[in-house]
Amino acid sequence: MKKALALTLGIVTSIGGFLDMGALATSAQAGASYRFQLLWTIGLATLLVIFLVEMSGRFAAATRKALPDAIREHFGFTFWLVPFFVLSLSHLLVLGTEIGGICFALHLVSGLPTSFWALPVGVLLVTFLWRSTFNTIEDSTSLLGLITLAFVVAAVSHHPPMKDLLAGFVPTLTAEEPLKYWGIAVSIVGAVLSPYLFYFYSSGAVEDDWDSSFIGVNRGIAALGMGFGSVVAMGALVVAAMVLAPRGIAMDDYHQAALMLTDAFPFWGFLLFAVGLGVACLAASLEVALSMAYATAQTFGWNWGESLDPREDARFGAVYTGAIALSSLIILVGVDPLKLTLLAMATEAAVLPFVALPFLILMNDRKLLKEHANGWISNTVAVIVLLLALVLTVVSIPLALLGGGG
Amino acid sequence: MKKLDLTRDLLDMQVVGRDGTKMGRVDGLILELRGDLPPRVDAIEMGFAVLARRMGPRAERWLAKLRRWSVRRTASQRVPWSKVKAIEPHHIQIDLDALETPAFAWEIWLRDHFVAPIEGKREKSG
Amino acid sequence: MRNAFSSSPAPSPVRRARGGLIALLLFLIACQPSSPEEQLLKTVQPVGSWLASLEMTGRKWSSNSVPASFVEAMTASAREAIGKAAEEAAKSSARPGLRDPLRALLAEAEEAGRDLRRAVDQDDRAGVARSVGRLSALHARFEALTKGAA
């Protein structure tokens, strides 16, 4: 009974938490510029992330250790230093993106500039983390995130041409302006295969006290949670394809995305977009900030745990506070949220091999995982992820600079 | 005689204090050279300075410069081998109270200067 | 094993990868548009999207789908983007037959954006409808100019 509840909650929170600034921006861009042609990218990236998240959860359940903890212990500090450094860099950029998303949503609703909201939002985030427990944060924000299902409802209500839509799941390798096409494709992969996601997931499993009896539940959450969650991103892509593309509106600025839901919901559409974006980014920013704190505290062996009183793990608290402060600063000085998003997504794609490699090696450690180590299916996916990640590292930043320039 | 693989089973392990609190990690080891006899583990070392030394002399100098600005002058900490109570598969148990050690100096400083005042204000007004 | 990571020199696969990256960058740079006409068209390309965005924004305001503050923000972003394109277009060495009509269109676009903003500020529904019509016409002209020249 308890497992059934954990499974249901895990799936629901994964659906509500799937969309974030990165996934929304890249999906909307894809739909606006290429209609349904890039649906296959979301599908492929989701398939890979299901496997990675399953492995991450299985690892934590079988060893009762989180990833950064286990990697430092197993590989040593000198080896872990480079992945830890690039992971932290990626964390900060993504955190800035998500905070920017909350601020932009508040700007839409209030009319006040995005940068104005940076400080209040930063304070709100730190307060929330300070005073809440892990489960309160995870569950409440992700459940609120279900409002993003509005994108799916809107997509369906537009009656997209099924033939074109299904054709979008078949990879098209040539397109108009190939640099832009592949730039968006890469940024979608970066947005979905977020390094912070599978690192955070392992720490979350330890916070939730998972043991090896949760491995089945984990499989369900990974497959169904991520799977259904990706439908929300696909919904955003379809809406952009049906609303923005026909009018010739590309996404050079996030304000253009805010119009997305106004065709399907003439009265509520604008507000739904703002609230959906704000809540989705709220959930994501809390997760990224925590992920940064988990990775840092575990690397240096400090006390950690969101459910602990801040008096017991002050250094852990100091890390997420500092990270939020730094990332809020980026928005405060007026960095454009959309440009920051695209940079963050390219960075995520670029750092993927560094952070995935130690993880995937550990998944084959039979001494550590015993019978839960990777089988040939998981390892095949692992090799695919690593090869893809290596290609992405080389092309992602150049593509972001050359392809996205318009 | 039971053998211990120093790099695999000791180095980078989580260090846990007497009361079960996580204190840090085994960042370094001090071996005692005894002439013709095999070297002996004298102490374990913990701290940023130890990690910096592992990364190289430049990192060590850089960290020394940073420390001049730091409020807590926490040096690296040496824990003599006699204080090591148990070597578990995933952590080292030592016979010290976490709070007594420099490892916790930052933790305590942050707690006293940031957490307590804010929590204290909350209790007064709440 | 651990020390091998910190003390070994960069192995040749890394050097090869770096060489490959440089080659890729050079290739991508070489693929950039070369003629001034192509360069101009690329610079002004976002303007079409901005014209369409302003038009949609005006329509949505009229149907009470978006607040006035949003129109303000959208026209501000559009003004910045179109202004930047106009600046670049002024410097362009493309043939006057293409450059001059485009520059004129961009100037009209900036004006239309301003008119829209003013009309919304004054709650002038008729004024907004006029602006929307104008923006729609400008967009059509823009498409004709840029598609014809490409």
Side-chain angles (χ1 to χ4, degrees):
Chain A
M1 188 58 226
K2 180 172 169 250
K3 295 281 197 314
L5 191 66
L7 178 66
T8 317
L9 198 61
I11 294 175
V12 171
T13 52
S14 294
I15 297 174
F18 191 91
L19 208 64
D20 66 350
M21 186 72 163
L24 182 55
T26 54
S27 299
Q29 250 201 349
S33 298
Y34 291 100
R35 291 192 85 222
F36 307 112
Q37 278 185 287
L38 281 165
L39 276 171
W40 65 271
T41 314
I42 301 181
L44 175 67
T46 304
L47 195 65
L48 296 176
V49 90
I50 287 175
F51 275 92
L52 286 177
V53 163
E54 190 277 327
M55 285 187 228
S56 171
R58 177 166 23 111
F59 182 86
T63 64
R64 313 207 64 174
K65 287 177 100 40
L67 275 179
D69 182 1
I71 296 178
R72 160 117 198 232
E73 192 184 293
H74 193 94
F75 290 99
F77 181 73
T78 324
F79 177 91
W80 172 233
L81 185 62
V82 170
F84 174 63
F85 178 72
V86 297
L87 180 67
S88 302
L89 183 69
S90 163
H91 274 142
L92 283 172
L93 283 175
V94 176
L95 185 58
T97 304
E98 307 298 345
I99 291 179
I102 306 175
C103 295
F104 183 77
L106 287 167
H107 151 72
L108 285 177
V109 167
S110 66
L112 296 163
T114 303
S115 54
F116 169 84
W117 290 104
L119 222 52
V121 167
V123 170
L124 175 81
L125 291 173
V126 173
T127 311
F128 205 175
L129 284 173
W130 196 287
R131 300 190 50 174
S132 302
T133 62
F134 181 76
N135 278 319
T136 318
I137 291 174
E138 262 300 274
D139 299 342
S140 61
T141 54
S142 299
L143 282 175
L144 282 174
L146 286 173
I147 202 173
T148 55
L149 285 171
F151 285 101
V152 181
V153 174
V156 169
S157 78
H158 278 297
H159 301 295
M162 282 315 285
K163 208 174 116 216
D164 294 343
L165 194 142
L166 289 173
F169 283 100
V170 177
T172 30
L173 298 176
T174 52
E176 269 193 48
E177 292 183 76
L179 282 185
K180 188 169 176 196
Y181 179 79
W182 288 107
I184 298 179
V186 165
S187 64
I188 289 178
V189 175
V192 177
L193 277 176
S194 291
Y196 90 80
L197 184 64
F198 45 95
Y199 273 81
F200 173 79
Y201 193 76
S202 70
S203 296
V206 174
E207 290 263 41
D208 274 336
D209 235 347
W210 278 12
D211 57 26
S212 48
S213 69
F214 275 84
I215 288 186
V217 168
N218 170 58
R219 214 161 264 158
I221 294 177
L224 297 174
M226 295 287 129
F228 286 131
S230 74
V231 174
V232 182
M234 292 180 192
L237 185 152
V238 169
V239 171
M242 300 296 293
V243 173
L244 300 177
R247 291 178 167 92
I249 299 178
M251 254 190 61
D252 301 306
D253 184 291
Y254 230 105
H255 289 95
Q256 289 154 324
L259 292 164
M260 270 169 75
L261 293 174
T262 53
D263 271 359
F265 309 113
F267 189 66
W268 291 107
F270 182 77
L271 197 61
L272 266 175
F273 178 87
V275 173
L277 177 71
V279 169
C281 293
L282 176 68
S285 53
L286 292 169
E287 281 186 13
V288 179
L290 278 176
S291 183
M292 175 106 181
Y294 287 140
T296 310
Q298 289 165 22
T299 296
F300 296 110
W302 304 337
N303 235 13
W304 63 274
E306 177 53 11
S307 307
L308 289 178
D309 193 292
R311 272 174 283 231
E312 288 174 53
D313 56 1
R315 283 171 298 180
F316 173 74
V319 176
Y320 63 64
T321 307
I324 290 171
L326 206 61
S327 303
S328 301
L329 199 66
I330 299 176
I331 301 301
L332 185 68
V333 299
V335 172
D336 175 52
L338 186 59
K339 291 204 175 68
L340 180 64
T341 303
L342 298 174
L343 177 66
M345 297 307 108
T347 308
E348 282 192 297
V351 308
L352 195 57
F354 298 97
V355 301
L357 184 66
F359 168 39
L360 294 170
I361 293 176
L362 271 186
M363 288 310 298
N364 282 290
D365 190 326
R366 276 177 200 280
K367 265 188 72 189
L368 203 56
L369 289 168
K370 306 193 177 58
E371 74 268 26
H372 300 297
N374 267 2
W376 68 270
I377 301 179
S378 292
N379 274 336
T380 310
V381 174
V383 169
I384 294 174
V385 169
L386 282 171
L387 289 175
L388 181 65
L390 283 171
V391 171
L392 290 179
T393 303
V394 172
V395 303
S396 61
I397 307 234
L399 271 178
L401 296 172
L402 293 166
Chain B
M1 189 163 60
K2 201 159 172 260
K3 291 206 169 184
L4 180 70
D5 184 329
L6 291 179
T7 50
R8 202 184 57 205
D9 300 325
L10 195 55
L11 197 58
D12 295 302
M13 278 293 172
Q14 177 81 60
V15 173
V16 172
R18 207 188 280 140
D19 54 353
T21 319
K22 295 185 174 79
M23 280 178 60
R25 288 189 180 269
V26 178
D27 296 317
L29 298 169
I30 303 292
L31 298 181
E32 182 196 348
L33 298 174
R34 302 182 295 161
D36 287 333
L37 295 172
R40 194 168 63 173
V41 181
D42 195 39
I44 63 174
E45 277 196 302
M46 291 161 48
F48 282 128
V50 184
L51 286 175
R53 202 184 318 131
R54 266 166 86 179
M55 291 197 286
R58 236 184 307 168
E60 210 181 348
R61 283 197 295 270
W62 201 71
L63 186 75
K65 282 198 205 112
L66 276 176
R67 273 181 53 213
R68 263 184 244 133
W69 294 87
S70 107
V71 177
R72 301 297 315 165
R73 292 191 59 75
T74 47
S76 58
Q77 178 191 4
R78 256 183 220 195
V79 176
W81 191 254
S82 53
K83 291 286 181 189
V84 176
K85 288 260 297 291
I87 299 176
E88 307 288 342
H90 293 297
H91 69 264
I92 309 293
Q93 184 80 37
I94 64 173
D95 190 24
L96 283 174
D97 200 357
L99 297 170
E100 291 169 13
T101 63
F104 249 53
W106 268 105
E107 185 79 28
I108 295 171
W109 185 86
L110 280 169
R111 189 211 300 169
D112 292 342
H113 286 77
F114 285 97
V115 183
I118 298 174
E119 297 281 319
K121 267 198 217 97
R122 222 175 11 106
E123 278 156 15
K124 269 191 223 131
S125 63
Chain C
M1 195 62 233
R2 280 175 229 181
N3 291 322
F5 270 95
S6 52
S7 58
S8 64
S12 51
V14 176
R15 275 200 290 272
R16 258 184 267 135
R18 252 184 255 154
L21 175 56
I22 293 170
L24 178 71
L25 277 171
L26 289 172
F27 173 70
L28 289 172
I29 290 169
C31 283
Q32 294 301 297
S34 39
S35 78
E37 280 75 29
E38 283 177 341
Q39 194 70 42
L40 177 63
L41 286 173
K42 193 165 188 289
T43 308
V44 303
Q45 190 192 40
V47 174
S49 158
W50 280 109
L51 285 167
S53 309
L54 286 170
E55 188 193 329
M56 184 177 177
T57 305
R59 284 189 205 275
K60 291 296 177 183
W61 180 86
S62 296
S63 58
N64 294 315
S65 292
V66 300
S69 61
F70 178 73
V71 181
E72 208 178 294
M74 178 65 96
T75 49
S77 295
R79 185 171 57 232
E80 201 185 313
I82 297 175
K84 225 166 71 178
E87 251 178 64
E88 290 296 313
K91 294 188 224 151
S92 170
S93 51
R95 55 182 170 85
L98 176 65
R99 188 191 63 194
D100 296 341
L102 269 176
R103 287 187 63 198
L105 200 150
L106 289 180
E108 280 189 64
E110 282 183 277
E111 213 187 296
R114 275 198 298 272
D115 287 343
L116 177 66
R117 161 82 190 268
R118 221 176 301 138
V120 168
D121 279 346
Q122 295 164 353
D123 219 6
D124 174 11
R125 289 190 171 267
V128 169
R130 276 197 305 273
S131 285
V132 164
R134 199 165 155 213
L135 286 161
S136 177
L138 281 170
H139 189 203
R141 257 172 63 199
F142 180 84
E143 292 297 307
L145 258 176
T146 51
K147 292 286 158 46

